[in-house]
Amino acid sequence: MSAALAAFSDELAGLAERVLPSVAALTLKSTRGVAFGSGFVLDGTGHVVTNHHVIEDGGEIVADLPGRPSQAIEVVGADRLTDLAVLRLAEAPASHLDLRDEPARLGELCLALGSPLGLFPESVSLGIVSGLARSLPTRDGVRSLERVLQTDCAINPGNSGGPLVDSRGRVLGVNTAIRRDGAGIGFAVPASTVAAVTAELIARGRVARASLGVSIAERHVEIDGRRTKCQVITRVGGGSDLRVGDALLAVNGIAIDGRAALYDQLGGDRIGVALTLAVHREGALCHVEVVPAALDG
């Protein structure tokens, strides 16, 4: 048993040694004072991923990577709705982290890396993926983060933007929030979201999305004698044939079984393109054609 534990400990230490050179401690100086965060190097050209809320106050940003001098880092683009941002180092380091293609598995081991409180750079904590596909309200309450990973790794202010990695050092997600009313309840934006959003931020500096011009809330609706959880319209903008109380069932034939599924159907390629929405209205199935506009912000 002791030999197995020693081997496991050595493997964890080796994993941390491989990953840490690609993890940045970020210091931000703005008119609101000094703040701290974390990030990780995404590619060989020096792009660094962090959280939107880490850099949203603007100002000067300095990055510190292990064994390298401090250097200024510029913002390439940021996305408030997924709480992600991409920065770029003037001098790219030799190493970077890969995003994992396979989804996280409940119960798998993971490490959270970063600079908690801005005082303890190159910090590592061990835990498991303790929840999948969580919905996390955003700071402004406009839109929730979907498919978020839950972890019991120790995460503190200053860890925001740092990587959550698997046992092979691949990024499972970006550490983004904790529940302050609990213990060991942290959240990370999943790698699948990171991959899609960072590609757009690097290419265009922003993420384009389509909007149906409505507000929605998740409610139970009785359909064919069964209570079904649906995305129900609570407010409608001008010029739409949708109505308050409509329950969204499908977009162009793709079932909408949650907010994440709806957001998936409202990418930038849908702006100005007619969509057919199946809705449950006053006990009957209806089909409504909507031409989405660009979503502001």
Side-chain angles (χ1 to χ4, degrees):
M1 176 64 77
S2 60
L5 286 175
F8 177 61
S9 179
D10 287 343
E11 288 190 21
L12 282 178
L15 173 61
E17 289 173 359
R18 294 196 306 274
V19 173
L20 275 172
S22 302
V23 180
L26 304 177
T27 303
L28 302 95
K29 299 177 182 178
S30 70
T31 56
R32 298 185 61 177
V34 179
F36 303 97
S38 302
F40 64 90
V41 183
L42 178 67
D43 56 32
T45 61
H47 288 113
V48 171
V49 178
T50 188
N51 284 137
H52 172 271
H53 76 258
V54 168
I55 57 92
E56 64 182 336
D57 289 337
E60 178 188 3
I61 309 174
V62 175
D64 287 282
L65 289 126
R68 298 175 64 89
S70 300
Q71 61 173 299
I73 187 169
E74 63 177 4
V75 177
V76 173
D79 183 53
R80 175 177 56 87
L81 296 183
T82 55
D83 197 19
L84 293 172
V86 174
L87 317 177
R88 187 165 184 172
L89 295 160
E91 297 181 16
S95 61
H96 67 275
L97 301 182
D98 293 322
L99 301 176
R100 189 167 108 175
D101 293 329
E102 303 85 12
R105 298 174 60 199
L106 188 66
E108 71 171 290
L109 287 173
C110 54
L111 297 181
L113 303 100
S115 181
L117 308 179
L119 299 174
F120 306 105
E122 301 176 48
S123 289
V124 182
S125 59
L126 172 67
I128 63 170
V129 175
S130 48
L132 302 173
R134 303 304 195 200
S135 181
L136 188 65
T138 53
R139 292 165 179 250
D140 56 16
V142 172
R143 186 169 175 172
S144 56
L145 294 175
E146 299 298 331
R147 301 192 179 104
V148 175
L149 303 178
Q150 180 184 333
T151 179
D152 66 351
C153 289
I155 296 175
N156 294 278
N159 276 113
S160 290
L164 185 74
V165 303
D166 68 8
S167 59
R168 293 179 174 84
R170 300 172 298 177
V171 176
L172 291 169
V174 176
N175 300 318
T176 191
I178 57 174
R179 282 294 296 255
R180 296 184 184 276
D181 57 346
I185 305 176
F187 301 97
V189 179
S192 57
T193 300
V194 178
V197 170
T198 56
E200 288 206 48
L201 293 180
I202 291 170
R204 292 180 285 277
R206 59 183 295 275
V207 177
R209 294 184 177 88
S211 170
L212 298 177
V214 301
S215 296
I216 61 171
E218 196 164 75
R219 294 177 179 169
H220 282 89
V221 177
E222 187 167 319
I223 300 177
D224 297 331
R226 298 178 59 184
R227 286 179 58 79
T228 304
K229 187 182 292 184
C230 296
Q231 305 308 306
V232 177
I233 294 173
T234 59
R235 182 190 63 81
V236 179
S240 175
D241 290 330
L242 293 169
R243 299 179 188 176
V244 172
D246 284 350
L248 298 177
L249 303 181
V251 175
N252 282 4
I254 304 299
I256 302 302
D257 58 3
R259 282 186 294 264
L262 176 59
Y263 298 158
D264 287 345
Q265 300 305 313
L266 295 175
D269 59 334
R270 296 297 177 88
I271 297 171
V273 178
L275 302 178
T276 300
L277 276 57
V279 303
H280 185 266
R281 176 185 293 172
E282 298 177 352
L285 175 65
C286 300
H287 290 89
V288 180
E289 186 174 282
V290 177
V291 178
L295 178 66
D296 294 333

